[in-house]
Amino acid sequence: AQKITQTQPGMFVQEKEAVTLDCTYDTSDPSYGLFWYKQPSSGEMIFLIYQGSYDQQNATEGRYSLNFQKARKSANLVISASQLGDSAMYFCAMRAVFGNEKLTFGTGTRLTIIP
Amino acid sequence: GAGVSQSPSNKVTEKGKDVELRCDPISGHTALYWYRQSLGQGLEFLIYFQGNSAPDKSGLPSDRFSAERTGGSVSTLTIQRTQQEDSAVYLCASSPRTLGTSEAFFGQGTRLTVV
């Protein structure tokens, strides 16, 4: 079974600062993918970044980067130079590459950017 | 269509009535997911389809909930004898089957209110 844990229910960060959102996971699958989604107050789910378990390098997408530490089973999202529009719920998710491709989500972190 | 389409966008029903929620995934996407999200909460997994079969329906909360998918495309989530605790946003997502490495694309959701 897969489990995603996000231990920060809420975070407040000053505009223009960097922020790290924590995500740890547990799985018995040897190959898997990790995803981060953003959900603004409008409710839409926006895909941000993907990391494969066998990728050698940490994923980056613009201001988003993923600090992937496989041995520690963590996949933290780093947002650089935060903006007011980054205020939203952030969800970490994972899915096995083979077999049951159920997509499992964590409970989310509500990020608020302070001007 | 261009994205995942869900209908209706809003549904108000009386307690005890049956409801059907529809999801039209992105053309060619073989994986389809249903989630439930209560206000301010995370995404609760309900069921996952690969083609027309459901390898994982472990999240369906009771036998009042059922889902089907036909033609490897449209899916319907049915809730029988609705209860007030069924009130939530029901989200559908689809994904191409690319060995689990592709992100899931979400619809806008159906907001269900049971009165």
Side-chain angles (χ1 to χ4, degrees), chain A residues 26-88:
Chain A
D26 192 19
T27 182
S28 56
D29 295 301
S31 185
Y32 48 89
L34 295 153
F35 306 81
W36 277 92
Y37 283 83
K38 170 184 178 182
Q39 188 179 44
S41 56
S42 59
E44 62 187 307
M45 291 287 287
I46 301 168
F47 166 73
L48 295 178
I49 195 166
Y50 163 83
Q51 177 82 46
S53 59
Y54 284 102
D55 291 344
Q56 295 297 313
Q57 294 193 333
N58 287 343
T60 60
E61 287 287 347
R63 294 189 298 113
Y64 304 108
S65 60
L66 207 152
N67 183 1
F68 179 48
Q69 298 186 48
K70 191 172 181 178
R72 300 179 67 176
K73 293 189 175 180
S74 76
N76 298 339
L77 177 71
V78 180
I79 305 174
S80 64
S82 58
Q83 302 171 355
L84 295 178
D86 293 334
S87 293

Side-chain angles (χ1 to χ4, degrees), chain A residues 35 37 39 44-45 47 50 91 95-103 105 107 110, chain B residues 33 35 37 41-43 45 48 56 58 95 97 99-104 106 108:
Chain A
F35 306 81
Y37 283 83
Q39 188 179 44
E44 62 187 307
M45 291 287 287
F47 166 73
Y50 163 83
F91 294 99
R95 181 165 70 185
V97 171
F98 301 104
N100 188 338
E101 292 186 50
K102 170 183 173 180
L103 183 61
F105 282 82
T107 53
R110 182 171 298 281
Chain B
Y33 305 86
Y35 294 89
Q37 187 175 31
Q41 302 299 309
L43 276 71
F45 169 80
Y48 145 62
D56 194 328
S58 61
S95 173
R97 190 173 193 189
L99 298 180
T101 61
S102 177
E103 71 269 27
F106 281 81
Q108 293 297 315

Side-chain angles (χ1 to χ4, degrees), chain B residues 1-112:
Chain B
V4 178
S5 177
Q6 291 187 247
S7 60
S9 54
N10 278 284
K11 176 73 176 178
V12 180
T13 190
E14 291 181 353
K15 178 181 170 182
K17 294 282 178 70
D18 298 351
V19 295
E20 283 190 353
L21 311 181
R22 178 188 167 104
C23 174
D24 203 338
I26 293 172
S27 177
H29 282 194
T30 56
L32 187 147
Y33 305 86
W34 282 101
Y35 294 89
R36 179 167 72 174
Q37 187 175 31
S38 300
L39 188 63
Q41 302 299 309
L43 276 71
E44 177 189 3
F45 169 80
L46 298 178
I47 188 169
Y48 145 62
F49 287 93
Q50 188 60 250
N52 290 336
S53 63
D56 194 328
K57 43 189 173 183
S58 61
L60 294 177
S62 74
D63 59 8
R64 295 188 295 106
F65 287 73
S66 63
E68 65 174 12
R69 188 179 185 193
T70 55
S73 180
V74 172
S75 176
T76 303
L77 177 69
T78 301
I79 309 173
Q80 295 179 309
R81 305 181 302 282
T82 51
Q83 304 293 315
Q84 288 186 329
E85 61 262 29
D86 300 335
S87 296
V89 175
Y90 289 81
L91 290 164
C92 174
S94 73
S95 173
R97 190 173 193 189
T98 54
L99 298 180
T101 61
S102 177
E103 71 269 27
F105 297 80
F106 281 81
Q108 293 297 315
T110 293
R111 182 177 299 278
L112 176 66

